[in-house]
Amino acid sequence: MTQERLPFALPDITEAEIAAVVEVLRSGWITTGPRTKEFEQRFAARLGAAHAVMVGSCTAALHLAMDAIGLKEDDEVIVPTLTFAATANIVRYFRARPVLVDVRATDHNIDVEAIEAAITPRTKAIIPVHFAGVPCDMDEIVSLARSRRIAVVDDAAHCFPCDYRGRPVGTLADITCFSFYAIKTITTGEGGAAVTANAEWADRMRMMSLHGIAGAAWKRYLAGGRWYYELHEAGFKYNMTDTAAAMGMVQLERASSMLARRREIADAYDAAFADLGAFELPVRLPDRGHAHHLYVLKVRAGTLAIDRNEFIEELNAAGIGTSVHFIPLHMHPYYRDLYGYEADDLPVAKQLFERSVSLPIYSRMSPADVERVIDVVTHLAARAALRPAPA
Ligand SMILES: *Cc1c(COP(=O)(O)O)cnc(C)c1O
């Protein structure tokens, strides 16, 4: 009788990824090497970008990007409050200040007017986050930043692959950071990439990703490689392994088909939930794509006898995993106490957080899994309805 639990997210790993990793394990070269270089070239080529620097996580990529643009103590970086911890934490690594700003109620993306209002002479960068896989207003953000000599580093952890006004996300900002974490749209277990058109920044990020050693430090162990190397900075250990890169190249090949499956799931959810009345559905915008990394339902005020938390508990009791994206950063103890934020200082993000539930959306879900989520949500909404759905 009892059904197996449907997890909130699962990686989509086939025999091809397993074979690619096994091949690397058998090769004798398992850390940064030829596979990582090949993945960098293929990923950059896929985006039509000049340089991709493969690293151990999106957090590492964001950290290296802030180093490359020259972030210093007491500088300011504009960050949406509705994001994951990493987007702002990497600013704190420099003892600089992440200036948290509010988002739009429609697509949950950073509000361009809020950016403009937050700019000061200390503003060094803006980090737009493409929430759930919908690109931010990049043309407006980049032109605002250009006119004031501010860098734009986009956090595209949710947004591969995706186009914006006919151009790939990864070619819109000064540096774009992607995540290949276990449950992102493509995965290497842990991994990330920093993509840029700027050769100097790419070289700097590569050097800082491997201790601060100049040149391709990994090559010293190749046949004919030289033992001599020079240290130019106190760098980090952020390099990607060849096992991860081998997995990533297979995932890259499958990225479009996995996206197509996520889009089908989003379409099925939209069709099923549109008429329930209790929920606001995720938006899609005509001039940009959607990577469908997340499917966030928002409970409409005054339509259900249960609140968001009870809704999540009911889904959990029915064996369906969910999540919430995100607890706004200004409501976390660290940022609240550091800068004295009140929850209502950034009211749109606070309200979105209180009403949001993220449903499972991943390419491994079967048609029966999708039907099951739809059934449970639909029955819950009917049982908890305070008033009939609007006609
Ligand atoms: C997952 C995520 C990150 C961090 O990615 P890692 O690869 O785990 O470091 C950063 N920003 C956002 C918005 C994310 O969702």
Side-chain angles (χ1 to χ4, degrees):
M1 268 302 286
T2 54
Q3 263 181 303
E4 219 176 294
R5 192 176 166 74
L6 181 72
F8 168 66
L10 279 178
D12 187 343
I13 304 299
T14 66
E15 288 304 318
E17 282 87 348
I18 293 168
V21 170
V22 168
E23 193 189 323
V24 171
L25 291 177
R26 291 193 200 285
S27 75
W29 193 299
I30 60 177
T31 187
T32 310
R35 308 300 278 164
T36 304
K37 294 298 118 183
E38 198 183 338
F39 187 26
E40 287 187 337
Q41 280 152 17
R42 286 202 206 171
F43 193 73
R46 163 78 185 244
L47 297 173
H51 310 279
V53 179
M54 289 296 164
V55 289
S57 67
C58 181
T59 307
L62 287 162
H63 184 191
L64 293 173
M66 290 298 112
D67 169 78
I69 64 160
L71 190 67
K72 296 280 185 297
E73 187 167 350
D74 296 330
D75 284 344
E76 295 177 355
V77 178
I78 297 174
V79 172
T81 190
L82 200 69
T83 185
F84 183 61
T87 322
N89 285 354
I90 51 105
V91 175
R92 293 298 300 148
Y93 294 0
F94 298 82
R95 298 180 180 278
R97 175 172 181 158
V99 176
L100 303 177
V101 302
D102 217 341
V103 296
R104 290 197 290 227
T106 49
D107 56 10
H108 305 202
N109 273 337
I110 194 164
D111 188 303
V112 180
E113 281 173 25
I115 294 176
E116 200 159 8
I119 291 175
T120 76
R122 287 183 191 275
T123 307
K124 189 88 183 195
I126 303 165
I127 310 183
V129 177
H130 310 302
F131 185 93
V134 177
C136 298
D137 288 346
M138 292 304 285
D139 283 343
E140 289 77 4
I141 293 169
V142 168
S143 84
L144 186 64
R146 288 273 176 280
S147 65
R148 304 176 197 228
R149 300 175 165 278
I150 295 169
V152 180
V153 172
D154 50 342
D155 177 339
H158 299 181
C159 209
F160 179 82
C162 195
D163 277 3
Y164 167 84
R165 297 182 176 168
R167 288 164 285 149
V169 170
T171 61
L172 309 168
D174 293 306
I175 303 174
T176 303
C177 299
F178 293 96
S179 176
F180 311 134
Y181 178 64
I183 56 170
K184 294 288 160 65
T185 58
I186 70 170
T187 182
T188 61
E190 297 280 0
V195 172
T196 183
N198 184 316
E200 215 171 290
W201 285 345
D203 287 347
R204 167 89 188 178
M205 291 191 288
R206 229 172 241 128
M207 179 179 83
M208 293 303 282
S209 78
L210 210 48
H211 307 292
I213 295 172
W218 62 275
K219 281 190 176 160
R220 69 189 188 280
Y221 295 117
L222 274 182
R226 295 174 64 218
W227 59 267
Y228 181 78
Y229 62 86
E230 273 182 7
L231 188 65
H232 284 237
E233 284 279 357
F236 311 105
K237 186 76 197 296
Y238 280 167
N239 53 311
M240 177 177 277
T241 66
D242 266 22
T243 43
M247 187 171 159
M249 283 189 275
V250 180
Q251 289 269 297
L252 183 60
E253 289 291 312
R254 299 181 53 230
S256 296
S257 68
M258 291 192 291
L259 168 61
R261 177 64 190 137
R262 292 193 305 275
R263 187 182 296 125
E264 274 176 9
I265 298 168
D267 289 345
Y269 284 165
D270 281 355
F273 304 145
D275 297 330
L276 293 182
F279 306 109
E280 241 179 274
L281 306 187
V283 298
R284 298 190 208 181
L285 301 174
D287 63 343
R288 61 200 80 178
H290 194 323
H292 295 291
H293 170 55
L294 301 174
Y295 189 93
V296 178
L297 270 186
K298 283 171 277 181
V299 179
R300 277 208 172 100
T303 59
L304 296 181
I306 57 175
D307 67 11
R308 187 276 312 267
N309 292 352
E310 292 165 307
F311 189 71
I312 287 177
E313 278 165 32
E314 296 270 3
L315 284 167
N316 186 45
I320 294 181
T322 58
S323 190
V324 173
H325 294 88
F326 293 92
I327 304 167
L329 293 180
H330 74 281
M331 294 169 69
H332 280 287
Y334 176 70
Y335 288 108
R336 184 193 62 206
D337 298 347
L338 187 62
Y339 300 120
Y341 286 115
E342 306 278 347
D344 285 320
D345 286 349
L346 302 167
V348 179
K350 172 181 173 260
Q351 285 160 26
L352 289 175
F353 156 64
E354 288 169 344
R355 297 166 52 219
S356 290
V357 183
S358 299
L359 297 181
I361 179 167
Y362 46 100
S363 43
R364 267 182 63 185
M365 286 176 77
S366 69
D369 292 335
V370 177
E371 276 313 307
R372 180 176 164 200
V373 175
I374 288 173
D375 261 21
V376 169
V377 171
T378 308
H379 282 109
L380 250 172
R383 251 201 301 133
L386 277 179
R387 56 170 195 243

